[in-house]
Amino acid sequence: MTIPGSQTDSGLGQEVVLVTNPIVGVEVPAANSVSALLGVATGIVGAVTSAIESTVSNGVNAALDRVVPLAVSAIIDRIDLTQIVLDHVDIDAIVAKANMDEIIDRVPMVDIADYIIAEIDLPKIIRESTGGVATDAVNAARLQALSVDNLVNKIADSLLLRRKGRKVESPLKFDLEDQP
Amino acid sequence: MTSFQKFRRQLASGEVVNPAAITIPKAAQAVQGKRSGLVTRAVAVGIDIAVVLIVMLISYGLLWLFLLLLAPIHVFQMPVTTWFFAAGFVLLWAYWTASWALSGRTLGNHMMGLLVVDHQGNRLSWALSAARAIFSIGLPIGLLWVVVSPTNRSIQDTVLRTSVLHHWAVTLNDPFVKE
C-alpha cells in the first residue's frame, strides 16, 4: 500500500499546499463595496416584499374564506338549482353513461333479496302456487259439476214455468280486480 | 328480462292478468260470487261425509288397538251402529260448525270451490254456524230446495239467510280465513 504524499523517492509525487489565511495588505477596490451594498439592499427589499406578500395574501385569503361562502350561499338561495339542473342537464344521458355494474357491485343484493323474500312472504306464495296446480286438477271436476248444475236449473226452471231465470247474485262484493 | 317499467305498462294495459284470476278457468269466471247449484253443493256434502266417515273408522281402529293393550284377548267387533252414527253426526256437526265459522269452507266446500256466507256476505258467526250445521244434519232433504228456489237457496239458507257461493280462488290475505 502506498500513500500518494510519500512517493517522493519515485519523483512523480508533488505536494500541494492550500493557503487559507487572508491576504494582508491588499486593498479592496471601491466597486466591490458598492456591489455588496447593492446585494444587501436587494436582500432586504426581497425580504420585505415577501413579508408584505405573505401578509397580504393571508389577509386576502382569510377575507375570501369568510366572504365567498356567504356570497355563494346567498346566490344559491336566490336560484333554484334543482330546476336549473333539471332544465339544462340530461339526467337520462348521465344515467345511461353510468356504469351500472359498479353501482350494483356496491349494493348489498343478498341482503335486499332476503328482505324482499321476508316482506312478500315467498314461502306463502310457493304454497299458493302449488295449491294452484292442485286446483287445476280440481277445476275439471268443478266445471263438470257447474255444467250439470246449469242443466238441472234449466230443467227445473222450465218445469216451474220460470222465465226470468234465477237471482243468484250474492251479498258478497266479489270482484277479481279487488283481489290482492 | 322484463323491466319494472315494462311490467307496469303491461299491467296497466291489461296484458298481465291479475294473479288471482289466472287460477280460475274463463268458463267459471262469470259465476264467481254467485250462488251455487244443487249438484256442486251435494258433491261437497258428499266429500264432507266421506271425510267424517274416514275419520270415524280410523278413530275406531285406533280405539280398538288401544283396548288391545289393556286386554290382550280383546276380540274385534264391528261398532254398534246406533252409537257409531250418533258419534258420526256429532263429529259432522262439530266439523261443519268450526269450518264455516273459521274459514267459511269445509273440505268439501274447498274442493268444489264454495264459500258459505251470511246475509251480509260475511263469515258466519259461531252461533249461526252451529245452527246451520244442526239444521243441515237434521233436515238433509232441505238441500233439494236449491232446485226449486229462485235464488239457489236451500231451506236452511232461506231460514237462516245464508248463501253458498262459488269462490274458486283462495288468495293471499283471504279475508275469510281467520288467522
Side-chain angles (χ1 to χ4, degrees), chain A residues 50-67:
Chain A
S50 69
I52 290 171
E53 265 180 10
S54 70
T55 310
V56 169
S57 75
N58 281 346
V60 169
N61 277 337
L64 285 176
D65 283 349
R66 287 192 173 188
V67 173

Side-chain angles (χ1 to χ4, degrees), chain B residues 34-118:
Chain B
K34 305 271 169 67
R35 285 195 199 89
S36 167
L38 172 71
V39 178
T40 308
R41 292 177 60 171
V43 172
V45 170
I47 293 168
D48 285 344
I49 290 171
V51 167
V52 167
L53 212 60
I54 289 167
V55 170
M56 289 288 294
L57 288 173
I58 291 171
S59 304
Y60 186 77
L62 290 175
L63 183 70
W64 183 75
L65 283 175
F66 180 70
L67 289 176
L68 206 63
L69 289 175
L70 299 179
I73 325 169
H74 190 74
V75 182
F76 181 80
Q77 285 177 323
M78 285 304 287
V80 182
T81 318
T82 321
W83 285 111
F84 189 77
F85 275 92
F89 281 130
V90 170
L91 187 62
L92 186 63
W93 172 74
Y95 170 53
W96 274 350
T97 303
S99 300
W100 291 332
L102 289 174
S103 69
R105 299 178 182 88
T106 63
L107 186 65
N109 290 153
H110 201 84
M111 298 279 278
M112 299 311 291
L114 299 176
L115 179 69
V116 182
V117 296
D118 67 7

Side-chain angles (χ1 to χ4, degrees), chain A residues 120-121 124-125 128 132 135-136 138-139 141-146 148-150 152-153 156-157 160 162 165-174 176-180, chain B residues 18 20-21 23 25 28 31-35 37-40 110-113 115 118-121 146-152 165-168 170-172 176 179:
Chain A
I120 64 175
D121 199 353
K124 198 170 181 180
I125 289 175
E128 293 287 333
T135 308
D136 284 343
V138 169
N139 274 347
R142 290 177 179 178
L143 279 172
Q144 275 193 333
L146 195 64
V148 178
D149 268 339
N150 289 336
V152 169
N153 286 352
D157 286 347
L160 293 164
R162 189 185 286 148
R166 289 163 185 256
K167 287 178 185 172
V168 290
E169 275 71 30
S170 74
L172 183 66
K173 306 282 181 294
F174 188 87
L176 284 177
E177 297 303 314
D178 284 348
Q179 298 273 333
Chain B
N18 193 301
T23 54
V31 300
Q32 296 305 307
K34 305 271 169 67
R35 285 195 199 89
L38 172 71
V39 178
T40 308
H110 201 84
M111 298 279 278
M112 299 311 291
L115 179 69
D118 67 7
H119 68 285
Q120 287 177 321
V146 173
V147 181
V148 183
S149 161
T151 55
N152 274 4
L165 315 171
H166 288 286
H167 193 282
W168 291 24
V170 182
T171 53
L172 291 168
F176 261 85
E179 297 267 342

